[in-house]
Amino acid sequence: MEFVVFLNLPIYIIALFVVWGSVNGRWFILSLLFLESIDMTLLPLFAHLQTPYYALVVLLNAVFLIGVLGRQYWASVLFKYTRIQYFSEATRQYALSPHEAAICLLFFMSLVVNLVAGIEVWLYLSYFIDNTFVVEYILNPVQILVHILECLVVIAYITKPFKAKRTNKYDYIN
């Protein structure tokens, strides 16, 4: 599963270049890049822990959901404090696409599976159950599937046509 975890970052970087002309698309991909960098920084630090690791993954999935679904709010907060016009445009042009909703669904699926795995590990360490079925047989395949589907959804997102703001005053094509 190690290589699949690092698959998202290059796809996000490529996606950022592809959607650069769309304020909403750029803000979405920048948000994903920021959240993915937090994920890639924190998870290796806590990978050796047992139950706290799953709690951290659940927390990170919740942060991903809040980060993606609250992009309009975060853009308005950033505009309020920085007065950078881009964040005003991102607030004004915000629209949740079906692709973004699909990514949120994937984050939620990962949250649920990791929550169940964390509870299962806690029960195992407390000697309430004898084996960790979810951790041994379900968690890794689901996480691999989530990462691959997330990459495919981002690829599908960047292949949709974006309406970039025209900057050439002589461009008469609508």
Side-chain angles (χ1 to χ4, degrees):
M1 180 167 142
E2 289 295 323
F3 71 92
V4 175
V5 174
F6 297 108
L7 189 62
N8 294 2
L9 190 62
I11 289 177
Y12 291 164
I13 292 170
I14 292 167
L16 184 61
F17 288 114
V18 172
V19 301
W20 192 260
S22 166
V23 173
N24 190 40
R26 186 179 344 152
W27 181 232
F28 173 59
I29 300 298
L30 282 172
S31 301
L32 286 178
L33 270 168
F34 176 72
L35 294 167
E36 188 67 27
S37 64
I38 292 172
D39 184 42
M40 292 178 80
T41 303
L42 291 180
L43 284 183
L45 297 175
F46 293 98
H48 66 283
L49 302 175
Q50 292 173 345
T51 309
Y53 171 78
Y54 297 103
L56 177 71
V57 173
V58 167
L59 178 68
L60 283 174
N61 281 310
V63 167
F64 266 69
L65 283 169
I66 292 168
V68 171
L69 293 175
R71 284 184 306 116
Q72 184 177 27
Y73 171 75
W74 298 118
S76 67
V77 168
L78 286 170
F79 176 71
K80 179 181 171 184
Y81 289 113
T82 64
R83 293 292 179 203
I84 297 174
Q85 195 59 34
Y86 169 75
F87 295 118
S88 173
E89 285 291 315
T91 302
R92 199 170 44 79
Q93 293 184 17
Y94 172 78
L96 185 69
S97 73
H99 299 93
E100 295 165 313
I103 285 187
C104 289
L105 182 66
L106 292 171
F107 292 153
F108 183 73
M109 187 170 75
S110 177
L111 184 144
V112 169
V113 170
N114 279 290
L115 181 65
V116 170
I119 291 169
E120 184 183 55
V121 167
W122 178 76
L123 290 172
Y124 177 77
L125 292 174
S126 301
Y127 300 105
F128 285 112
I129 58 175
D130 292 330
N131 60 2
T132 55
F133 180 80
V134 172
V135 172
E136 292 176 16
Y137 300 108
I138 296 175
L139 181 64
N140 278 342
V142 168
Q143 289 301 103
I144 290 171
L145 182 67
V146 164
H147 277 86
I148 291 172
L149 288 176
E150 185 180 344
C151 292
L152 291 175
V153 168
V154 169
I155 290 170
Y157 180 77
I158 66 174
T159 57
K160 75 175 188 163
F162 286 98
K163 293 183 180 178
K165 186 175 181 181
R166 302 225 184 254
T167 56
N168 188 351
K169 66 181 179 180
Y170 302 108
D171 193 359
Y172 296 108
I173 301 172
N174 290 331

